[in-house]
């Protein structure tokens, strides 16, 4: 009974999204309200613990919520300056003689690099595909799906960092648990992109390149681990994919004639905010003294729960350097006062709902994690384990799924990604629950939690918030509702492949 009641906030959010057609932010608020009420009444959590948990969740959400603001500011700068227009023009001409190569290069390769560099692929790639003449439904579907294979390494590895912090392991050790999933998921997503774009005909033509994408994604992850910089996996793998696909394309079709009108901005200048950002992040993560300084020495822990600090790492987080690259690009583009006001207006209009949506699920997760804790002389302790919501959910799931739990974990991730809209928020919401359940069943807690994370990445293709952002980028709000029936079966099938991997590594330990 306790387990079903503990799951109630998740059910409330799901019902509000599917039946009530609520926004992600409103559904999240009702889920948070349900969590607060249950934690304080049914699970007997003191008010002080609840308040501290909410504050801890707010602090823990900053790498995601603030990065939303930073990324949207960067996007507004590039739109107002004309940089985005130049990038779209360039992308339309890329691999224009072969649609299969074009789809894989733009949607998989370019999408992965964009997401890794702090951009939002659904708001960049969707307008590009529409400008190339594809339907709004297909454009939204492809832009939301394409970069999901390396969703763990989006926004310069923020989901991985949150995963390692919540699970309580080293960043490198955490990254190694994602490697078994990468090649299979990357291959399956490439095939899914081709199927949506052109059916079985495109799958046949792009099968070998899809296999190569799976291999290149795996090699990119291994190289990043070797360099002790797993958060740049998305950049390494994305650039590898683009380079190899372009080489294959040129061997088959020759070099495209890329026409650049004289009145257009240079390509280097257009890409400058992302290039500056990549330079900062690569330097910080490959130069060990800097990495140790920003990641460890200046970790700035905030200990609201006495013994379980949240490490903010303000000088290492991607949002700091996205803001920095954005400010520098203002001088490069030489924007006037009117353009600066337009940037502020666009950013202000866009940030409120995504900021709250990125925050609220961390609040829910931290209240659940600390439910039942009481203040003692030693700090805050869980004196009665049955009063903890995460424990109740874990015991219920262990009894329900038993040995089949590894098959369930990716689908839990899909549910979490659908509900929260981001892999990071889904990981925050379900990581502790998955760890606890896996321990009860004797499975590898970290591998099972990694399976949840990958499942939540796949959910980008059906997440209401992601699809709505894509539709908004082409001024077609409402079109996103037509995408869900088109992609839901594909997502569930890809989750099945992930389940097979999850089951095969269920008791493996590194």
């Amino acid at each position: 009974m306790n387990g079903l009641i503990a799951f109630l906030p998740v059910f409330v959010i799901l019902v509000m999204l599917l039946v009530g057609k609520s926004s992600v932010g409103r559904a999240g608020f009702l889920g948070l309200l349900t969590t607060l009420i249950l934690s304080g009444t049914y699970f007997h959590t003191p008010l002080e613990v609840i308040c501290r948990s909410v504050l801890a969740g707010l602090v823990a959400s900053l790498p995601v919520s603030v990065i939303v603001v930073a990324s949207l500011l960067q996007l507004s700068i590039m739109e107002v300056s004309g940089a985005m227009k130049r990038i779209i023009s360039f992308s339309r001409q890329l691999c224009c003689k072969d649609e299969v190569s074009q789809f894989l290069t733009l949607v998989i390769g370019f999408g992965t690099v964009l997401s890794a560099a702090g951009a939002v692929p659904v708001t960049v790639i969707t307008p590009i595909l529409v400008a190339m003449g594809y339907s709004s439904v297909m454009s939204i579907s492809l832009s939301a799906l394409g970069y999901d294979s390396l969703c763990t390494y989006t926004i310069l590895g923020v989901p991985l960092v949150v995963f390692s912090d919540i699970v309580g392991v080293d960043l490198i050790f955490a990254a190694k648990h994602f490697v078994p999933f990468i090649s299979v998921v990357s291959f399956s997503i490439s095939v899914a992109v081709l199927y949506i774009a052109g059916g079985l005909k495109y799958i046949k033509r792009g099968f070998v390149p899809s296999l190569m994408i799976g291999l290149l994604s795996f090699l990119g992850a291994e190289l990043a681990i070797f360099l002790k910089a797993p958060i740049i996996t998305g950049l390494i793998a994305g650039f590898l994919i683009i380079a190899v696909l372009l080489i294959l394309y040129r061997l088959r079709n020759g070099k495209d004639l890329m026409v650049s009108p004289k009145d257009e901005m240079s390509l280097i200048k257009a890409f400058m905010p992302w290039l500056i950002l990549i330079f900062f992040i690569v330097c910080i993560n490959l130069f060990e003294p800097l990495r140790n300084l920003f990641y460890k020495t200046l970790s700035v822990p905030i200990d609201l729960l006495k013994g379980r600090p949240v490490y903010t790492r303000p000088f290492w987080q991607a949002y700091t350097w996205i803001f920095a690259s954005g400010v520098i690009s203002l001088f490069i583009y030489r924007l006037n006062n009117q353009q600066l006001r337009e940037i502020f207006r666009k950013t202000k209009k866009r940030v409120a709902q995504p900021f709250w949506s990125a925050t609220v699920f961390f609040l829910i997760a931290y209240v659940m994690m600390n439910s039942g804790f009481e203040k003692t002389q030693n700090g805050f302790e869980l004196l009665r384990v049955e009063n903890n919501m995460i424990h109740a959910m874990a015991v219920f799931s262990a009894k329900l799924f038993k040995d089949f739990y590894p098959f369930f974990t990716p689908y839990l991730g899909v549910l979490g990604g659908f509900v929260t809209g981001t892999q990071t928020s889904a990981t925050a919401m379900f990581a502790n629950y998955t760890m606890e359940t896996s321990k009860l069943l004797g499975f590898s807690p970290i591998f099972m939690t990694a399976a949840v994370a990958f499942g939540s990445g796949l959910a980008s293709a059906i997440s209401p918030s992601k699809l709505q952002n894509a539709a908004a980028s082409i001024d077609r709000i409402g079109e996103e509702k037509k995408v869900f029936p088109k992609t839901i079966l594909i997502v569930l099938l890809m989750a099945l492949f992930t389940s097979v991997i999850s089951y095969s590594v269920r008791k493996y330990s590194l």
Side-chain angles (χ1 to χ4, degrees), residues 280-352:
F280 282 147
I281 296 298
V282 168
C283 287
I284 290 168
N285 285 277
L286 293 187
F287 186 53
E288 192 166 354
L290 271 181
R291 182 172 70 237
N292 289 333
L293 174 65
F294 290 154
Y295 187 80
K296 296 179 181 179
T297 307
L298 300 177
S299 60
V300 192
I302 298 179
D303 192 0
L304 292 164
L305 295 164
K306 306 298 181 182
R308 288 176 293 159
V310 177
Y311 296 94
T312 58
R313 303 186 182 98
F315 301 104
W316 183 80
Q317 298 289 358
Y319 60 72
T320 299
W321 304 106
I322 295 175
F323 277 126
S325 65
V327 171
I328 293 172
S329 65
L330 291 176
F331 295 97
I332 294 173
Y333 294 139
R334 297 182 181 180
L335 303 177
N336 56 41
N337 289 336
Q338 183 178 350
Q339 289 173 311
L340 292 175
R341 285 193 293 270
E342 178 66 10
I343 289 169
F344 178 76
R345 186 192 66 80
K346 279 177 171 282
T347 306
K348 182 181 177 182
K349 181 180 178 181
R350 290 169 169 171
V351 298

Side-chain angles (χ1 to χ4, degrees), residues 115-181:
S115 61
V120 185
V122 292
T123 61
V124 177
I125 294 179
T126 305
I128 292 175
L129 293 175
V130 169
M132 291 163 60
Y134 298 106
S135 71
S136 55
V137 173
M138 180 185 291
S139 300
I140 294 169
S141 302
L142 292 174
S143 64
L145 176 64
Y147 68 96
D148 295 349
S149 60
L150 291 168
C151 199
T152 308
Y153 306 101
T154 58
I155 320 179
L156 297 159
V158 166
L160 178 66
V161 175
V162 170
F163 174 91
S164 65
D165 283 345
I166 290 178
V167 173
V169 296
D170 176 75
L171 199 62
I172 305 295
F173 187 70
K176 291 178 180 178
H177 287 81
F178 285 86
V179 171
F181 299 93

Side-chain angles (χ1 to χ4, degrees), residues 2-69:
N2 281 12
L4 281 174
I5 292 174
F7 270 111
L8 189 58
V10 180
F11 296 147
V12 168
I13 296 169
L14 199 57
V15 169
M16 290 301 298
L17 287 174
L18 292 178
V19 180
K21 305 295 182 183
S22 295
S23 66
V24 176
R26 182 177 298 175
F29 174 76
L30 290 175
L32 174 62
L33 188 61
T34 306
T35 306
L36 293 172
I37 293 171
L38 287 176
S39 178
T41 57
Y42 191 88
F43 292 95
H44 309 291
T45 309
L47 181 61
E48 181 182 353
V49 175
I50 293 176
C51 293
R52 285 177 176 270
S53 299
V54 170
L55 291 174
L58 180 63
V59 174
S61 73
L62 293 179
V64 182
S65 57
V66 176
I67 213 169
V68 167
V69 178

Side-chain angles (χ1 to χ4, degrees), residues 63-386:
V64 182
S65 57
V66 176
I67 213 169
V68 167
V69 178
S71 298
L72 289 174
L73 172 64
Q74 185 188 67
L75 178 64
S76 298
I77 292 171
M78 295 178 74
E79 285 178 341
V80 172
S81 67
M84 194 56 64
K85 180 181 178 182
R86 177 66 183 98
I87 291 169
I88 291 174
S89 173
F90 165 76
S91 301
R92 291 178 64 182
Q93 299 179 67
L94 194 64
C95 300
C96 60
K97 297 177 184 177
D98 182 356
E99 287 187 334
V100 169
S101 297
Q102 192 172 58
F103 277 121
L104 291 178
T105 304
L106 282 177
V107 177
I108 303 290
F110 191 42
T112 298
V113 172
L114 281 175
S115 61
V120 185
V122 292
T123 61
V124 177
I125 294 179
T126 305
I128 292 175
L129 293 175
V130 169
M132 291 163 60
Y134 298 106
S135 71
S136 55
V137 173
M138 180 185 291
S139 300
I140 294 169
S141 302
L142 292 174
S143 64
L145 176 64
Y147 68 96
D148 295 349
S149 60
L150 291 168
C151 199
T152 308
Y153 306 101
T154 58
I155 320 179
L156 297 159
V158 166
L160 178 66
V161 175
V162 170
F163 174 91
S164 65
D165 283 345
I166 290 178
V167 173
V169 296
D170 176 75
L171 199 62
I172 305 295
F173 187 70
K176 291 178 180 178
H177 287 81
F178 285 86
V179 171
F181 299 93
I182 287 176
S183 56
V184 173
V185 175
S186 298
F187 167 74
S188 63
I189 284 181
S190 301
V191 171
V193 164
L194 294 176
Y195 179 76
I196 292 174
L200 295 177
K201 177 183 175 182
Y202 275 22
I203 291 178
K204 184 178 179 180
R205 288 170 52 190
F207 189 79
V208 172
S210 296
L211 284 173
M212 295 184 66
I213 287 173
L215 177 61
L216 291 169
S217 298
F218 171 79
L219 292 175
E222 288 285 8
L223 179 57
I225 291 172
F226 174 77
L227 294 173
K228 297 182 179 180
I231 73 164
I232 62 172
T233 296
L235 293 177
I236 295 173
F239 281 123
L240 279 175
I241 291 168
I242 292 173
V244 171
L245 289 175
L246 288 179
I247 290 170
L248 288 175
Y249 173 80
R250 290 187 177 184
L251 289 174
R252 293 175 182 172
N253 303 281
K255 186 176 180 180
D256 286 334
L257 181 61
M258 305 292 281
V259 179
S260 180
K262 291 182 179 180
D263 60 342
E264 280 197 340
M265 181 184 296
S266 72
L267 200 57
I268 294 294
K269 188 175 181 180
F271 278 105
M272 193 56 70
W274 296 334
L275 294 176
I276 294 171
L277 173 61
I278 290 170
F279 172 78
F280 282 147
I281 296 298
V282 168
C283 287
I284 290 168
N285 285 277
L286 293 187
F287 186 53
E288 192 166 354
L290 271 181
R291 182 172 70 237
N292 289 333
L293 174 65
F294 290 154
Y295 187 80
K296 296 179 181 179
T297 307
L298 300 177
S299 60
V300 192
I302 298 179
D303 192 0
L304 292 164
L305 295 164
K306 306 298 181 182
R308 288 176 293 159
V310 177
Y311 296 94
T312 58
R313 303 186 182 98
F315 301 104
W316 183 80
Q317 298 289 358
Y319 60 72
T320 299
W321 304 106
I322 295 175
F323 277 126
S325 65
V327 171
I328 293 172
S329 65
L330 291 176
F331 295 97
I332 294 173
Y333 294 139
R334 297 182 181 180
L335 303 177
N336 56 41
N337 289 336
Q338 183 178 350
Q339 289 173 311
L340 292 175
R341 285 193 293 270
E342 178 66 10
I343 289 169
F344 178 76
R345 186 192 66 80
K346 279 177 171 282
T347 306
K348 182 181 177 182
K349 181 180 178 181
R350 290 169 169 171
V351 298
Q353 185 170 323
F355 180 88
W356 170 246
S357 297
T359 302
V360 67
F361 296 102
F362 278 83
L363 307 186
I364 293 172
Y366 273 75
V367 173
M368 283 185 168
M369 284 161 47
N370 296 294
S371 56
F373 277 73
E374 300 175 42
K375 190 173 185 179
T376 68
Q377 292 180 345
N378 299 321
F380 293 95
E381 296 181 290
L382 184 61
L383 301 179
R384 299 181 62 188
V385 71
E386 64 270 17

